Amino acid sequence: MILCADIGGSFIDFAVVHPDGRTEHRRSVPTPLDNAPAFIGALVALCAPWPDMPLHIAIAGVECPDTGIIRAANIPCVQSLPLAAHLHRETGRAVRIANDADCFALAEAHFGIARGHRNVFGVILGTGIGGGFVLDGRIVPGLGGVTGEWGHAPVVIPPPAPLDQEAAETLVPLFRCGCGISGCLDTIAGARALERLHLWAGGTPQTSRAILEAWQTGDRQAGRTLDIWLSYMGAGLAHVINVTGSTIVPVAGGLSNAHALVDALDEAVRARILTTTSGPLLKRAALGADAGLLGAACLGLDIRAQE
Ligand SMILES: [Zn+2]
């Protein structure tokens, strides 16, 4: 059995997970956001009935592999904290931490839609976008703990030469991203960004869900928004596929509930990659909200396999 926690900006989900993916002793507590002792205390209390077992954590943040320092914009109290070391000091147990999008991809590779695939790039289309890369059943550790963050780095960039005014007005603007850079794919990709893109493209204020519903009924304005969205997203993800050699892309997050959107993005990606495939690359993820916990469990399975 493996102790697992999936820590997001709203809740800490906890479970004891069996190697076959079954879960027991599930608990969910609000995430203390501004009080580090309360945050540590919540995890210590959840694990207390199993004093000698390691804890495996999926977190909405990144752990630096060199220092153990956490970066988690939505959980301020652990920002800049060496969380694993703190928890080890408090409980004596080994603690392993990974990014939750990486854990999602890992879970889908072990237990979900991507079983049997060696190169797996998991995509989250949620409020923002995220991703995780799994190779041969393991997360690929990256520079500063970062891998799979395909939503960040400027891709929506103006051409180097000046344009006349009319041409310039057709360019998607350089929106400022939450990461501090302008023009990231994330500035037009997630649910909130899609709503802003729709406004810029001439639409009225609507939820992403309403925009997607209008698009599926043939609405011209929503069609224009989605043409832009699919063009940028298809290009960005095609680039990822060419670099990672992924043979499957599990897709999760709120926007993936629109099956037609996943299918359209799959078409846009496959039209732009260097190779051809006989079937879809993008497939809706299988594990739903359990992916973080199950991915954390995979971290434990991996350690056992190495022992
Ligand atoms: Zn960004």
Side-chain angles (χ1 to χ4, degrees), residues 4-288:
C4 302
D6 180 12
I7 304 175
S10 301
F11 291 97
I12 299 174
D13 291 325
F14 174 87
V16 178
V17 182
H18 291 262
D20 62 4
R22 283 179 299 121
T23 60
E24 278 188 301
H25 305 287
R26 296 185 71 129
R27 299 270 313 274
S28 188
V29 299
T31 307
L33 293 179
D34 300 312
N35 184 334
F39 181 94
I40 302 275
L43 284 170
V44 169
L46 286 166
C47 300
W50 300 273
D52 299 322
M53 289 171 63
L55 173 63
H56 303 88
I57 294 175
I59 193 167
V62 171
E63 181 191 55
C64 174
D66 300 323
T67 63
I69 297 278
I70 300 288
R71 282 194 294 121
N74 294 326
I75 313 171
C77 70
V78 294
Q79 185 82 340
S80 305
L81 197 73
L83 179 59
H86 269 261
L87 285 168
H88 177 68
R89 207 160 47 231
E90 290 285 332
T91 65
R93 73 180 78 237
V95 177
R96 188 165 179 200
I97 299 175
N99 171 259
D100 56 0
D102 289 340
C103 284
F104 147 69
L106 191 57
E108 290 292 338
H110 275 267
F111 297 117
I113 194 76
R115 264 180 303 179
H117 289 261
R118 293 184 61 189
N119 301 40
V120 178
F121 191 82
V123 163
I124 297 171
L125 302 177
T127 311
I129 61 169
F133 182 42
V134 170
L135 188 62
D136 288 333
R138 289 185 182 165
I139 290 171
V140 179
L143 180 67
V146 173
T147 323
E149 292 288 354
W150 69 298
H152 300 281
V155 295
V156 187
I157 49 176
L163 292 165
D164 62 56
Q165 190 59 32
E166 197 177 333
E169 282 170 4
T170 65
L171 293 175
V172 174
L174 274 174
F175 295 118
R176 182 100 171 149
C177 183
C179 74
I181 298 170
S182 294
C184 291
L185 202 52
D186 200 40
T187 65
I188 58 166
R192 297 294 86 76
L194 178 67
E195 291 158 6
R196 181 172 59 183
L197 182 67
H198 186 62
L199 276 180
W200 172 81
T204 53
Q206 290 183 63
T207 63
S208 57
R209 189 173 174 169
I211 296 166
L212 290 171
E213 282 171 4
W215 168 62
Q216 288 175 77
T217 58
D219 178 83
R220 200 163 155 224
Q221 186 60 56
R224 172 165 154 70
T225 302
L226 266 297
D227 281 350
I228 298 168
W229 191 89
L230 286 166
S231 175
Y232 277 103
M233 292 290 280
L237 197 46
H239 202 155
V240 169
I241 302 301
N242 286 341
V243 171
T244 61
S246 296
T247 52
I248 186 168
V249 180
V251 184
L255 291 181
S256 73
N257 292 327
H259 298 203
L261 184 71
V262 176
D263 293 345
L265 182 56
D266 177 67
E267 260 183 52
V269 169
R270 288 197 291 138
R272 290 164 168 83
I273 56 176
L274 283 174
T275 186
T276 53
T277 64
S278 55
L281 276 173
L282 274 65
K283 294 190 176 169
R284 295 178 70 238
L287 302 173

